[in-house]
Every structure is written in C-alpha cells, then in structure tokens.
Amino acid sequence: MEATHVDRRTVLKGAAAATSGLAVVQVAGPPAAFAGHVEHGEVIPWSDQPPPIPEPVQGVFAHPLHWESLDSFYVPNDEFFTVKHYGDVHLSGSTYRLSVDGLVAHPQSLSLPDVRGLPRRAVDFTLECSGDNGFPFVVGAIGNARWGGTPLHSLLRQARPLADDLEVVFWGADKGQVTIRDNPGVTSGGFTGTVEPDSTGGLDLTITEHFARSMSLREAMADENLVCYEMNGKPLPVEHGFPVRLIAPGWYGVANVKWLNRIELRRGRYAGRFMAREYVTFREEKHGDETIWTFTTVGRFRLKSAPAKVIRYRDRYSVFGAAWGARISRVDVRIDEGPWRRARLQRRLGRAGSSGFAWRFWTFDWGHPTPGEHSVTSRAFDEHGNVQPRPEDEIIANRRTFWENNGQITRHVVIPAH
Ligand SMILES: Nc1nc2c(c(=O)[nH]1)N[C@H]1C(S)=C(S)[C@@H](COP(=O)(O)O)O[C@H]1N2
Ligand SMILES: [Mo]
C-alpha cells in the first residue's frame, strides 16, 4: 500500500518546529520544550463562532471543517465537508459503468474494475466550495485529501476526440426537479417537463436535471485531473461520490463532479444549472461612467488563507493557519489594527508535485498579547507576488452574489487575564 497518511503527530511536529525556530531566541529552555506549543498547547476558541447552518441548507452542506480542530494535513474522510445538491446517490460498484461518448471516434464504456485497472495516480488537493465564507454560516467548506485514481487525459485520448476545440461535460448520476423561472423562450408540450405561467406573466419550466459541469477539452487534458476512486487511501465514501468522481485540482469544489458516470464531448459551452444559472458570480463593474453588471461562472480556485486557531503554551500565544488556492510564497498576520508581520510557512507537506494544489500550513508567534478581545487577520501571497484581496478591494466588494469570497479573513479571540 502506498503511504497515504501523514499521521497527525508528524504534521504537528512540523508546525511545532516552525514555531520553535521563531521562538528559541525569546524562550528559555530547549526548543523541544517549546515544540509542545502546538502539540500540547491549549486552543483558545474564536469568540466569533459561525451561526448554526439553517435547516434548509443542512441537506446541502454538512460537516464543515471546525477550524480549531484542524491538526492534520489530510482531513479524515468522515470529517470532510460535503455539498450535495440532489442528495446522496447509491450506485452499485458491480453494475457501475462510466461512458466516454459524444464527439469521439471510440466511445468507451468502463466498469469499475476497468477504471481501477488503468494506471494509478494520486494528487493532494484542497477542495474548497466556492460558497465558503459566502454567508456567515458557511465557514469551513474546505478540506484536503489525497485523491487516487487514473489520469483523465489518458481516458480522453483512448476515446479519440474528433476535434481539439471541444467542450467536455462531466455528468453526475444525481438529478432533481428544478424550476427555471421567467423563461419567455420556452415552448410548451412534447417534453417531460411542465410549463406554467407565473404571476408576472413569465413562464416557469419544471424539469428533471442532472448535476453536470463542463470545461474545455484543453482544460480537461491537464495532467493533474483524475477520474478518482480513492480518498485518503480508501474507496470514495458514498457522500463523496462513490464509486467515481472527477478531481480537478486547482478548481473550486463545484467542478469536481461526484457520482460521475458519463463524460461527454460536445461542441459549444455547456450552460446547465451549475455552470450558468447557479455558481455564477454577479458583479457591478465600472465601465467609464457607467456601472455594468457582469456574470462569470465559478471556475478555478483563488488565493486565500485563514487563521485556524490560537494556541497558548505556558504564557505564550501563537496562531496556526492555512493558505491555499495557489503556490504560496508568504503569509502575513495582522493583530488588531497593527502592522502586518510575517508568519512562518511550514514545510510543504504531502506529495511532491501537488504542492500548488494543497494547503500550506503556517504559524505566527504572537508572544504575550494583552488580555481582552483581539482580532486576527491573515493574508496570503502567491509566487507571482499576488496578494489575497482585502474585503474592501473591488474584486471582493463588487460581488453581488456570495460565491468566490477569497477576501482576507478576520477572526476574533478573547485572551484571558493571566
Ligand atoms: N454530482 C455532484 N457532484 C458534486 C456536487 C453535487 O451536488 N453533485 N456538489 C459539488 C460541490 S458544489 C462541491 S463544493 C463539491 C464538494 O465535494 P465533497 O462533498 O466531496 O466535499 O462537490 C461537487 N460535486
Ligand atoms: Mo460548492
């Protein structure tokens, strides 16, 4: 078996070592004693806990990452957040087929053993829902896992696409009833849906739609994309897409289609619910004197970081956090309205070559904060010098939908009196 797990201790030692490097100068005693800071230190919970997930949303979004509990590079499968728009799908591994069809010379139909028999590959990838931090109750729609499967590009090559400029649609087995409102173009009759006039004189179309997402053939051919059947060394759990899902490292969660049973090549952009009606960011943009509205589909993930927890060891405090969405080159932390100061990046964990796709942990030596409430903000930099935007920066502030909020996150904590 491949060494799939970095155990918790290993990760924590890494974090502790990073902290001790900063701290030896100021702390008496051997660095080993201070290394207990992260591992044995006491977590001070954030005072700004997210509100409970409202009942109607609970069926869609569950098991958020509890940031204060984060203590391993890989989030265990049974603690990994889930997003499911049409509920769980229970597919049988023995009757499962994956087809690759549409504009291809050699359509494919593979069983689960067929898929598992193809060359195996793994990638460490931090999956984040583009709705993470979009609403106060959506906090922790993120997790990191080692995903195992077979490269998508070899499957696509086997099917021999008929052209280079095609679109690849990834179909999930899950489906549900949806109503598309105010659709003046819809014609009635002769199909499975229903059409009803609504109160404003528009036409509401009610149909059964499958979960589906697309990308260009060129994007689909990227080396890292996986037709995935393993999560952290175990078969994909039902709620994460058993038996097979797409893993598209570098894309927001929504692109990673679960219960994948059909890969279709077609011409032109696919504009289904999760491409064109939802998971669309609306913005108000300045164009000369005019304000115009723009609409872009959620795609690749964005540079982001979050303070995970504040830890006290003896009388010293530190902040532990994560950064992702790009190859991370630096993380800064700001306490209250103070100056930005550098956090210490932990060494890259996980598989070499996946490092741009997986989160990177960091620690910040806070020292001896004064008792009372403080705010903790982090900002990440990528290797091109881009910085995670502030909430008031245009790209965050001009959003009129909740998707793609990669703005800097500020958490609050109350430091107890000594
Ligand atoms: N078939 C299918 N795939 C899906 C979804 C879904 O509802 N159905 N949800 C998507 C969204 S929005 C996210 S954020 C991720 C979440 O993956 P996870 O549940 O394994 O964490 O799955 C994506 N893939
Ligand atoms: Mo999502």
Side-chain angles (χ1 to χ4, degrees), residues 21 28 57 139 156 168 175 178 213 233 265 281 334 344 389 399:
V57 184
V139 172
L156 289 170
V168 186
K175 57 188 174 185
V178 295
R213 280 279 307 192
L265 283 93
T281 295
R334 180 187 195 192
R344 177 171 281 249
R399 290 154 53 254

PDB file of all heavy atoms in Angstrom, residues 21 28 57 139 156 168 175 178 213 233 265 281 334 344 389 399:
ATOM      1  N   GLY A  21      11.457  27.584  15.908  1.00  0.00           N
ATOM      2  CA  GLY A  21      12.506  28.314  15.205  1.00  0.00           C
ATOM      3  C   GLY A  21      12.412  29.802  15.503  1.00  0.00           C
ATOM      4  O   GLY A  21      13.412  30.486  15.664  1.00  0.00           O
ATOM      5  N   ALA A  28      13.186  30.646  27.226  1.00  0.00           N
ATOM      6  CA  ALA A  28      14.222  29.907  27.934  1.00  0.00           C
ATOM      7  C   ALA A  28      13.963  28.415  27.813  1.00  0.00           C
ATOM      8  O   ALA A  28      12.822  27.989  27.640  1.00  0.00           O
ATOM      9  CB  ALA A  28      14.236  30.315  29.404  1.00  0.00           C
ATOM     10  N   VAL A  57     -30.565  24.487   4.531  1.00  0.00           N
ATOM     11  CA  VAL A  57     -29.232  24.331   3.928  1.00  0.00           C
ATOM     12  C   VAL A  57     -28.559  23.046   4.408  1.00  0.00           C
ATOM     13  O   VAL A  57     -27.663  22.511   3.745  1.00  0.00           O
ATOM     14  CB  VAL A  57     -28.350  25.569   4.246  1.00  0.00           C
ATOM     15  CG1 VAL A  57     -26.998  25.478   3.561  1.00  0.00           C
ATOM     16  CG2 VAL A  57     -29.059  26.859   3.830  1.00  0.00           C
ATOM     17  N   VAL A 139     -18.793  28.455   6.903  1.00  0.00           N
ATOM     18  CA  VAL A 139     -17.397  28.569   7.315  1.00  0.00           C
ATOM     19  C   VAL A 139     -16.868  27.142   7.382  1.00  0.00           C
ATOM     20  O   VAL A 139     -17.518  26.279   7.969  1.00  0.00           O
ATOM     21  CB  VAL A 139     -17.268  29.255   8.697  1.00  0.00           C
ATOM     22  CG1 VAL A 139     -15.831  29.204   9.206  1.00  0.00           C
ATOM     23  CG2 VAL A 139     -17.758  30.688   8.631  1.00  0.00           C
ATOM     24  N   LEU A 156      -9.483  10.203 -22.067  1.00  0.00           N
ATOM     25  CA  LEU A 156      -9.945  11.034 -23.184  1.00  0.00           C
ATOM     26  C   LEU A 156      -9.215  10.659 -24.473  1.00  0.00           C
ATOM     27  O   LEU A 156      -9.814  10.558 -25.542  1.00  0.00           O
ATOM     28  CB  LEU A 156      -9.742  12.525 -22.876  1.00  0.00           C
ATOM     29  CG  LEU A 156     -10.680  13.108 -21.814  1.00  0.00           C
ATOM     30  CD1 LEU A 156     -10.236  14.521 -21.406  1.00  0.00           C
ATOM     31  CD2 LEU A 156     -12.126  13.145 -22.328  1.00  0.00           C
ATOM     32  N   VAL A 168     -15.921  19.440 -22.716  1.00  0.00           N
ATOM     33  CA  VAL A 168     -16.104  18.154 -22.049  1.00  0.00           C
ATOM     34  C   VAL A 168     -17.112  18.337 -20.921  1.00  0.00           C
ATOM     35  O   VAL A 168     -16.894  19.154 -20.028  1.00  0.00           O
ATOM     36  CB  VAL A 168     -14.767  17.620 -21.487  1.00  0.00           C
ATOM     37  CG1 VAL A 168     -14.960  16.216 -20.917  1.00  0.00           C
ATOM     38  CG2 VAL A 168     -13.693  17.623 -22.569  1.00  0.00           C
ATOM     39  N   LYS A 175     -29.710  13.686  -9.805  1.00  0.00           N
ATOM     40  CA  LYS A 175     -30.603  14.576 -10.536  1.00  0.00           C
ATOM     41  C   LYS A 175     -31.721  15.027  -9.614  1.00  0.00           C
ATOM     42  O   LYS A 175     -31.956  14.427  -8.561  1.00  0.00           O
ATOM     43  CB  LYS A 175     -31.176  13.856 -11.753  1.00  0.00           C
ATOM     44  CG  LYS A 175     -31.912  12.583 -11.395  1.00  0.00           C
ATOM     45  CD  LYS A 175     -32.302  11.794 -12.625  1.00  0.00           C
ATOM     46  CE  LYS A 175     -32.906  10.465 -12.181  1.00  0.00           C
ATOM     47  NZ  LYS A 175     -33.212   9.584 -13.304  1.00  0.00           N
ATOM     48  N   VAL A 178     -36.066  20.778 -10.969  1.00  0.00           N
ATOM     49  CA  VAL A 178     -35.742  22.198 -10.857  1.00  0.00           C
ATOM     50  C   VAL A 178     -36.730  23.010 -11.684  1.00  0.00           C
ATOM     51  O   VAL A 178     -37.225  22.541 -12.715  1.00  0.00           O
ATOM     52  CB  VAL A 178     -34.294  22.517 -11.321  1.00  0.00           C
ATOM     53  CG1 VAL A 178     -33.283  21.854 -10.419  1.00  0.00           C
ATOM     54  CG2 VAL A 178     -34.059  22.095 -12.759  1.00  0.00           C
ATOM     55  N   ARG A 213     -21.164  19.531 -14.995  1.00  0.00           N
ATOM     56  CA  ARG A 213     -20.247  20.658 -15.132  1.00  0.00           C
ATOM     57  C   ARG A 213     -19.389  20.414 -16.363  1.00  0.00           C
ATOM     58  O   ARG A 213     -19.162  19.276 -16.762  1.00  0.00           O
ATOM     59  CB  ARG A 213     -19.312  20.738 -13.919  1.00  0.00           C
ATOM     60  CG  ARG A 213     -19.918  21.364 -12.699  1.00  0.00           C
ATOM     61  CD  ARG A 213     -19.910  22.880 -12.736  1.00  0.00           C
ATOM     62  NE  ARG A 213     -18.585  23.444 -13.007  1.00  0.00           N
ATOM     63  CZ  ARG A 213     -18.277  24.725 -12.862  1.00  0.00           C
ATOM     64  NH1 ARG A 213     -19.175  25.598 -12.444  1.00  0.00           N
ATOM     65  NH2 ARG A 213     -17.061  25.156 -13.142  1.00  0.00           N
ATOM     66  N   GLY A 233      -6.655   6.970   0.583  1.00  0.00           N
ATOM     67  CA  GLY A 233      -6.309   5.553   0.584  1.00  0.00           C
ATOM     68  C   GLY A 233      -7.482   4.602   0.715  1.00  0.00           C
ATOM     69  O   GLY A 233      -7.294   3.387   0.698  1.00  0.00           O
ATOM     70  N   LEU A 265     -18.305  14.583 -24.917  1.00  0.00           N
ATOM     71  CA  LEU A 265     -17.652  15.645 -25.691  1.00  0.00           C
ATOM     72  C   LEU A 265     -18.663  16.258 -26.628  1.00  0.00           C
ATOM     73  O   LEU A 265     -19.380  15.542 -27.345  1.00  0.00           O
ATOM     74  CB  LEU A 265     -16.435  15.099 -26.445  1.00  0.00           C
ATOM     75  CG  LEU A 265     -15.271  14.920 -25.468  1.00  0.00           C
ATOM     76  CD1 LEU A 265     -15.222  13.536 -24.904  1.00  0.00           C
ATOM     77  CD2 LEU A 265     -13.965  15.344 -26.087  1.00  0.00           C
ATOM     78  N   THR A 281     -20.995  34.225 -10.536  1.00  0.00           N
ATOM     79  CA  THR A 281     -20.716  35.437  -9.774  1.00  0.00           C
ATOM     80  C   THR A 281     -21.236  36.649 -10.537  1.00  0.00           C
ATOM     81  O   THR A 281     -20.864  36.847 -11.688  1.00  0.00           O
ATOM     82  CB  THR A 281     -19.196  35.557  -9.511  1.00  0.00           C
ATOM     83  OG1 THR A 281     -18.797  34.473  -8.661  1.00  0.00           O
ATOM     84  CG2 THR A 281     -18.844  36.877  -8.834  1.00  0.00           C
ATOM     85  N   ARG A 334      -1.936  40.043  10.907  1.00  0.00           N
ATOM     86  CA  ARG A 334      -2.124  41.367  11.493  1.00  0.00           C
ATOM     87  C   ARG A 334      -2.995  41.209  12.733  1.00  0.00           C
ATOM     88  O   ARG A 334      -4.047  40.572  12.687  1.00  0.00           O
ATOM     89  CB  ARG A 334      -2.838  42.225  10.470  1.00  0.00           C
ATOM     90  CG  ARG A 334      -3.096  43.609  10.914  1.00  0.00           C
ATOM     91  CD  ARG A 334      -3.952  44.266   9.851  1.00  0.00           C
ATOM     92  NE  ARG A 334      -3.928  45.690  10.063  1.00  0.00           N
ATOM     93  CZ  ARG A 334      -4.747  46.513   9.453  1.00  0.00           C
ATOM     94  NH1 ARG A 334      -5.618  46.043   8.582  1.00  0.00           N
ATOM     95  NH2 ARG A 334      -4.691  47.794   9.689  1.00  0.00           N
ATOM     96  N   ARG A 344       5.355  32.205   9.766  1.00  0.00           N
ATOM     97  CA  ARG A 344       6.360  31.247   9.302  1.00  0.00           C
ATOM     98  C   ARG A 344       5.666  30.131   8.537  1.00  0.00           C
ATOM     99  O   ARG A 344       4.757  29.481   9.072  1.00  0.00           O
ATOM    100  CB  ARG A 344       7.109  30.698  10.513  1.00  0.00           C
ATOM    101  CG  ARG A 344       8.132  29.641  10.169  1.00  0.00           C
ATOM    102  CD  ARG A 344       8.967  29.315  11.377  1.00  0.00           C
ATOM    103  NE  ARG A 344       9.981  30.334  11.594  1.00  0.00           N
ATOM    104  CZ  ARG A 344      11.290  30.102  11.412  1.00  0.00           C
ATOM    105  NH1 ARG A 344      11.726  28.930  11.028  1.00  0.00           N
ATOM    106  NH2 ARG A 344      12.157  31.078  11.629  1.00  0.00           N
ATOM    107  N   PRO A 389      -6.929  39.454  -1.635  1.00  0.00           N
ATOM    108  CA  PRO A 389      -7.549  40.780  -1.550  1.00  0.00           C
ATOM    109  C   PRO A 389      -8.156  41.076  -0.187  1.00  0.00           C
ATOM    110  O   PRO A 389      -8.498  40.171   0.575  1.00  0.00           O
ATOM    111  CB  PRO A 389      -8.635  40.735  -2.623  1.00  0.00           C
ATOM    112  CG  PRO A 389      -8.874  39.300  -2.900  1.00  0.00           C
ATOM    113  CD  PRO A 389      -7.603  38.567  -2.586  1.00  0.00           C
ATOM    114  N   ARG A 399     -18.860  42.167  -5.732  1.00  0.00           N
ATOM    115  CA  ARG A 399     -19.666  40.956  -5.897  1.00  0.00           C
ATOM    116  C   ARG A 399     -21.084  41.197  -5.399  1.00  0.00           C
ATOM    117  O   ARG A 399     -21.277  41.844  -4.370  1.00  0.00           O
ATOM    118  CB  ARG A 399     -19.042  39.783  -5.113  1.00  0.00           C
ATOM    119  CG  ARG A 399     -17.742  39.266  -5.697  1.00  0.00           C
ATOM    120  CD  ARG A 399     -16.840  38.610  -4.651  1.00  0.00           C
ATOM    121  NE  ARG A 399     -17.497  37.581  -3.876  1.00  0.00           N
ATOM    122  CZ  ARG A 399     -17.877  37.713  -2.614  1.00  0.00           C
ATOM    123  NH1 ARG A 399     -17.650  38.833  -1.954  1.00  0.00           N
ATOM    124  NH2 ARG A 399     -18.460  36.726  -1.994  1.00  0.00           N
TER     125      ARG A 399
END
